[in-house]
Amino acid sequence: MIGFLLRRLAQAALAIVVAVALIFLAIRVLPGNPLLTQFGQHTDPEQMAKIREEQGWNRPLPIQLVDFFWELATTGSLGNSIARSHTSVSEELAQRIPPTIELSIAALLIALPLGVALGVAAAVWRNRWPDFLCTTSSLIGVSVPVFFLGICLKALLTGMPSSNQLPLGTDFQSMTGFVLPEAILRGRFDVFVQGLRHLCLPAIALSSIPLAIVARITRSSMLEVLSADYVRTARAKGGSAWRVVLRHAFPNASVPVANIAGLQVGLLLSGAVLTETVFNWPGLGTYIVQAVQDSDYVVVQGCAFVVAVMFVTMNLLVDVLHLWLDPRLRSP
């Protein structure tokens, strides 16, 4: 077990380094110049040369990459934004990550229970209306782009708030960025209700793809388990239908479901970029979009590092969960 964890930690660290290195090099090859965004039409060659020297952009790319990792390892700094805000990227990320996590958790709380319930019902009532409902809804959920679904939700549900975490002018200053739990802890239930209303539409839009994928995986896994010998034996012993399903079938079918559910947490970050842009959600997604538009190298590489760490960490947790759910993997 310890050897497995050490190997996975080494692989995770290597994956983070490779992912950040590739993005680091790619954003410098793409067209665009953050200094033009800063100076506009009134360029100052001397000032631009000074900034290039301060940022180390006049050095070879491999040296710049080594400098980035060295500064990160020694100081923990991701640098300062150069295009607009000129603030610390680490401080900006500390403000942007909590709203994205809150949105992702809300999307998972919608996607996982509904996806599992649809998949189990589709497997139990195969080739009947629950099965057709599951397959049709999952196909639509995977096919419809998140940004298009968000626009449709805004157009159809006009009575629901469709931007920001709270109404403009609300007398509530969040200290952590997690509006809903902080509102409960501070006894501001009116703010909690407002925050929940603002969270509904983006969470529904973001949950569409994970819900569809979890439902399809649950269905296929349950169909395989329901035809196993031990399930037939449990039925022959006189167990009720739902006892057989929930006690014998679903626990054994939950391993691939847990794997795909864990991976969806990382994939929610990519979907959050579009969702947050449509709903003007003040999270990591809108921060990345703004940085790409400004060709802000420092912000993009900082965001890439954070996303890589979160995605690889979720993969590592999924592997540990898989090891815990499946005892056969713990045998020597």
Side-chain angles (χ1 to χ4, degrees), residues 299-320:
V299 174
V300 173
Q301 68 197 22
C303 293
F305 174 77
V306 171
V307 171
V309 169
M310 296 175 72
F311 192 85
V312 172
T313 301
M314 285 309 307
N315 277 312
L316 180 61
L317 293 177
V318 166
D319 287 342
V320 174

Side-chain angles (χ1 to χ4, degrees), residues 123 218-231 253 256:
T218 303
R219 177 184 180 275
S220 61
S221 182
M222 283 291 296
L223 286 176
E224 181 179 355
V225 171
L226 287 173
S227 61
D229 292 337
Y230 62 86
V231 174

Side-chain angles (χ1 to χ4, degrees), residues 41-305:
Q41 307 235 348
H42 307 288
T43 58
D44 186 346
E46 293 183 1
Q47 187 69 15
M48 292 175 69
K50 181 181 178 182
I51 294 177
R52 286 194 184 96
E53 185 176 357
E54 290 175 352
Q55 297 291 335
W57 294 345
N58 54 350
R59 300 179 182 179
L61 287 181
I63 302 299
Q64 295 182 40
L65 181 60
V66 172
D67 290 342
F68 170 74
F69 281 116
W70 176 256
E71 184 177 2
L72 179 63
T74 55
T75 66
S77 174
L78 293 171
N80 296 322
S81 173
I82 56 175
R84 292 187 181 180
S85 59
H86 304 285
T87 57
S88 170
V89 176
S90 301
E91 294 178 0
E92 286 281 348
L93 289 174
Q95 298 175 3
R96 297 280 190 159
I97 291 176
T100 297
I101 293 178
E102 189 172 60
L103 176 59
S104 300
I105 291 175
L108 281 177
L109 291 178
I110 296 173
L112 292 184
L114 287 180
V116 170
L118 281 174
V120 171
V124 172
W125 289 293
R126 185 179 182 183
N127 294 329
R128 297 169 66 180
W129 70 265
D131 191 12
F132 295 127
L133 174 64
C134 175
T135 53
T136 302
S137 59
S138 60
L139 180 61
I140 295 174
V142 172
S143 304
V144 177
V146 173
F147 72 90
F148 180 75
L149 178 60
I151 294 173
C152 291
L153 289 174
K154 291 176 66 174
L156 294 175
L157 303 176
T158 55
M160 295 293 292
S162 59
S163 64
N164 297 316
Q165 286 182 284
L166 290 172
L168 297 177
T170 301
D171 183 20
F172 184 83
Q173 187 66 34
S174 176
M175 295 179 292
T176 62
F178 296 98
V179 171
L180 297 185
E182 190 174 338
I184 293 177
L185 292 176
R186 292 165 61 177
R188 294 293 304 274
F189 296 103
D190 57 330
V191 175
F192 176 80
V193 172
Q194 290 291 342
L196 191 62
R197 282 172 51 82
H198 280 253
L199 185 62
C200 283
L201 292 187
I204 292 172
L206 188 59
S207 69
S208 60
I209 294 178
L211 190 155
I213 294 175
V214 169
R216 294 298 293 265
I217 295 297
T218 303
R219 177 184 180 275
S220 61
S221 182
M222 283 291 296
L223 286 176
E224 181 179 355
V225 171
L226 287 173
S227 61
D229 292 337
Y230 62 86
V231 174
R232 288 197 293 268
T233 302
R235 287 172 175 165
K237 289 182 177 180
S240 63
W242 282 108
R243 178 180 175 82
V244 171
V245 169
L246 298 178
R247 172 121 184 174
H248 299 279
F250 181 72
N252 292 281
S254 63
V255 174
V257 177
N259 285 343
I260 198 66
L263 295 176
Q264 291 306 306
V265 176
L267 294 175
L268 282 175
L269 295 173
S270 59
V273 173
L274 297 175
T275 305
E276 290 181 5
T277 302
V278 171
F279 291 97
N280 194 26
W281 191 262
L284 185 61
T286 52
Y287 190 45
I288 294 174
V289 170
Q290 178 182 331
V292 171
Q293 291 174 346
D294 296 338
S295 299
D296 196 331
Y297 297 158
V298 180
V299 174
V300 173
Q301 68 197 22
C303 293
F305 174 77

